[in-house]
Amino acid sequence: MSDAVRHRGPDDHGVWLDEAAGLGLGQRRLSIIDLSEAGHQPMVSASGRYVVTYNGEIYNFRRLRDELLPLGHRFRGESDTEVLLAAVEEWGPRGAAERSVGMFAFALWDREERKLHLVRDRLGVKPLVYGRLGGAFFFASELHAVRTDARLRAALDIDRGSLAMLAQFSFVPDPGTVYQHVHKLLPGTILTIGAHDESPPAPLPYWSIEEAVVEGRRHGAISSAEEAVAELDELLRDSIELRMISDVPLGAFLSGGIDSSAVVAIMQSLSARPVKTFTVGYSEGDYDEAGDARRVAKHLGTDHHELQLSAGDVMSVIERLPQIYDEPFADSSQLPTTLISEFARRHVTVVLTGDGGDEVFAGYNRHVWGRRAWRMLQVLPRRLRRSMSAALNSVSVDTWDRAVGAADGLLPPRFRMRSPGDKMAKLARLLDAGTAREMYVDLVSHWREPSSVVPRAGLVRTPVDRMLDQIPTGLDFAEIAALVDTKVFLPGDILVKVDRASMSVGLEAREPLLDHRLVEYAWRLPLSLKHRGGVGKWVLRELLARYVPRAMFERPKMGFGVPIHTWLRGELRPWAEELLSDQSLRDAGIFDPTLVRRKWKEHQSGVRNAHSELWSVLMVQAWLRAQVR
């Protein structure tokens, strides 16, 4: 099982057994802090009571160590693993998790109480799957490890409901997986199971984003813009400084956008030498942000590295996606993320990223546009909205792209629109929405009726639906959307994408904008400090302006986007056509061939830009084929 995840830890490995309890712990180590044998895992605590196998980093381990030393704890090495075990001995598993600032998934065996504790970090940066199959309770970082055991593999059955959710959202939301009876441990929770328990109880939370929202409101908002920017600067500098602790080479992803530029700017201000930065460029001009990143890097004085990609480069990684991503996963930006991770790994072992800024500071287009759209739509009669929706849909995506593109040169950069055809299609869907809830679900959905494209999936109540039922009162549309995105989309999509891509090549990615202290701070801010002047992430923009001229970052957001819609009509078409053929779809038996073929033909003709719907089908088809092999 540990060999199956060797890519996550190529530097060392270990196994620890408690034969009397019937328990085994395995570990693959990516050596980052204390490269000596003193960091070897699984590791036994000083008292001998606890044994841990652990993935991730506790960034404040030195501060915890200083707190533990006066309490009588002694350390033989410099690893954060040893500090984690001492913290558990002093405060218990929950207390140790609550005091830790970091990303982690660990399994802790209590030899005295004969209990196993599974713990996952607050935001879900690091993965952990578990379940009971074939007469055994199991856990692992990835499903690859589960499939290596013959008993477990024989008991694995595909969950059609999970595939319906993937068709709708492009990923399988926590706690589901592609398999029945196999679960992802929810972020910020602890699952405890005794040696003789037939099945594990429900995981218990030690932190939740909902509680952060309630506490933020209870303690009162930060109303002063100057105070908000100053506190953000202090928090983010501390978060980044902690994440720069490393005994191996370190760098950063830089897209040239708000989030990564802020991270790199502060990194460089804290570093005595140029920070190594990495970005992706494309031959397709609308998607190429390499020039933006280059200008930011030059201004900050970083040691900048640029990877230029074409559809041919992407083909080299497509066949490996099922192996890299463990279960079907259909965020197409997985392609550049995988390739930039491979590129960066040639130079560094650790990278900092700008992930999480949109969720934390309500910066997605759906937060900004959605909020304004819903306010405007409420004053329009439903019949009129439906007529407007039909009118917008009557114009093809390609026609919108050409028409709006012709006018772009007359507008300031911040008002220019990328992928206007896609945005008009989304606007048409919004016009047809009856409630704010419907509008949000429309904004995040690809296949709007997933049960129709995945027959026999049944009625699937998604985590998005459940989350929308439990939203704290008094939140604006943008805040509701940001909260659901943080709870569901961040751990299920964004963090999966980065974790699997980076760890597939033994590269550790760290996300300073997802320090839980920053998340809690952000929920103390009024929306007016996040949305202002028609843009999101206002307070983060103000902070960035202290380090980088505004002209370098005030433009439409992009990130590591990818022109997949163009490639599916060009270089990727033969590969996609084979997977989406009527025969291939019928042989797989998951999707409705008629619906998929219709969508494929619409995309090829330019009537609709259906790349997001088609990519989810392609990723499932490719994954199924890889399992058969």
Side-chain angles (χ1 to χ4, degrees), residues 12 25 36 49 83 311 438 460 508:
D12 190 19
L25 301 178
S36 74
R49 176 176 174 176
V83 173
E438 287 178 14
V460 179
E508 179 169 283

Side-chain angles (χ1 to χ4, degrees), residues 274-324:
V275 171
K276 294 183 183 296
T277 53
F278 305 91
T279 197
V280 172
Y282 301 99
S283 56
E284 289 81 359
D286 287 347
Y287 282 79
D288 186 20
E289 281 202 323
D292 299 326
R294 198 182 308 127
R295 284 186 285 275
V296 172
K298 183 178 180 180
H299 175 78
L300 295 174
T302 72
D303 178 11
H304 193 56
H305 304 261
E306 194 173 299
L307 177 65
Q308 282 290 327
L309 294 183
S310 66
D313 299 316
V314 167
M315 279 304 301
S316 70
V317 78
I318 274 182
E319 293 294 333
R320 294 187 285 121
L321 290 180
Q323 177 68 18
I324 292 170

Side-chain angles (χ1 to χ4, degrees), residues 424-551:
M424 290 302 173
K426 282 187 177 181
L427 179 57
R429 287 164 61 172
L430 298 187
L431 287 165
D432 200 33
T435 65
R437 178 187 183 123
E438 287 178 14
M439 190 176 81
Y440 173 78
V441 173
D442 271 350
L443 284 169
V444 297
S445 296
H446 302 298
W447 290 93
R448 297 177 72 183
E449 299 292 339
S451 59
S452 64
V453 74
V454 183
R456 304 191 305 281
L459 293 174
V460 179
R461 183 162 174 74
T462 72
V464 173
D465 296 319
R466 291 193 292 271
M467 183 72 188
L468 287 169
D469 288 339
Q470 301 165 9
I471 293 293
T473 59
L475 297 185
D476 182 276
F477 175 87
E479 293 173 312
I480 291 172
L483 176 55
V484 180
D485 285 345
T486 304
K487 179 81 170 186
V488 181
F489 283 83
L490 182 67
D493 183 342
I494 305 302
L495 296 176
V496 168
K497 175 186 67 180
V498 176
D499 175 81
R500 302 304 191 279
S502 60
M503 294 303 285
S504 72
V505 292
L507 177 73
E508 179 169 283
R510 299 175 173 178
E511 294 85 3
L513 288 167
L514 290 178
D515 189 304
H516 73 277
R517 299 168 301 169
L518 262 172
V519 175
E520 292 168 352
Y521 150 84
W523 281 103
R524 290 164 48 217
L525 296 176
L527 191 58
S528 61
L529 292 181
K530 298 175 186 176
H531 286 199
R532 188 176 292 192
V535 298
K537 296 187 289 194
W538 183 84
V539 66
L540 190 57
R541 291 170 186 267
E542 292 302 298
L543 172 61
L544 180 55
R546 293 184 172 187
Y547 299 89
V548 174
R550 290 184 187 275

Side-chain angles (χ1 to χ4, degrees), residues 223-370:
S223 57
S224 162
E226 185 177 341
E227 178 189 352
V229 175
E231 186 169 348
L232 175 58
D233 197 0
E234 181 180 346
L235 283 169
L236 189 51
R237 290 183 72 84
D238 185 64
S239 174
I240 291 171
E241 188 170 23
L242 288 177
R243 284 159 178 79
M244 290 177 70
I245 296 173
S246 173
D247 293 332
V248 294
L250 175 143
F253 289 158
L254 177 63
S255 70
I258 305 294
D259 306 333
S260 64
S261 296
V263 169
V264 170
I266 293 176
M267 279 183 75
Q268 191 58 70
S269 74
L270 294 169
S271 178
R273 63 188 65 172
V275 171
K276 294 183 183 296
T277 53
F278 305 91
T279 197
V280 172
Y282 301 99
S283 56
E284 289 81 359
D286 287 347
Y287 282 79
D288 186 20
E289 281 202 323
D292 299 326
R294 198 182 308 127
R295 284 186 285 275
V296 172
K298 183 178 180 180
H299 175 78
L300 295 174
T302 72
D303 178 11
H304 193 56
H305 304 261
E306 194 173 299
L307 177 65
Q308 282 290 327
L309 294 183
S310 66
D313 299 316
V314 167
M315 279 304 301
S316 70
V317 78
I318 274 182
E319 293 294 333
R320 294 187 285 121
L321 290 180
Q323 177 68 18
I324 292 170
Y325 280 88
D326 202 29
E327 69 177 355
F329 179 78
D331 180 336
S332 60
S333 61
Q334 66 198 117
L335 294 167
T337 305
T338 299
L339 289 164
I340 194 66
S341 294
E342 293 177 350
F343 179 59
R345 185 63 178 88
R346 300 172 201 164
H347 305 270
V348 298
T349 310
V350 176
V351 290
L352 271 63
T353 81
D355 294 302
D358 288 305
E359 290 83 2
V360 174
F361 295 103
Y364 283 125
N365 286 332
R366 60 177 171 263
H367 302 157
V368 182
W369 285 31

Side-chain angles (χ1 to χ4, degrees), residues 79 120 187 210 285 499 560 595:
S79 75
R120 192 175 180 200
E210 296 94 334
D499 175 81
F560 286 155
L595 284 179

Side-chain angles (χ1 to χ4, degrees), residues 61 125 142 156 176 181-182 203 242 292 306 329 337 502 603 616:
F61 76 100
V125 179
E142 296 182 6
L156 291 173
H181 312 301
V182 182
L242 288 177
D292 299 326
E306 194 173 299
F329 179 78
T337 305
S502 60
H603 183 78
S616 63

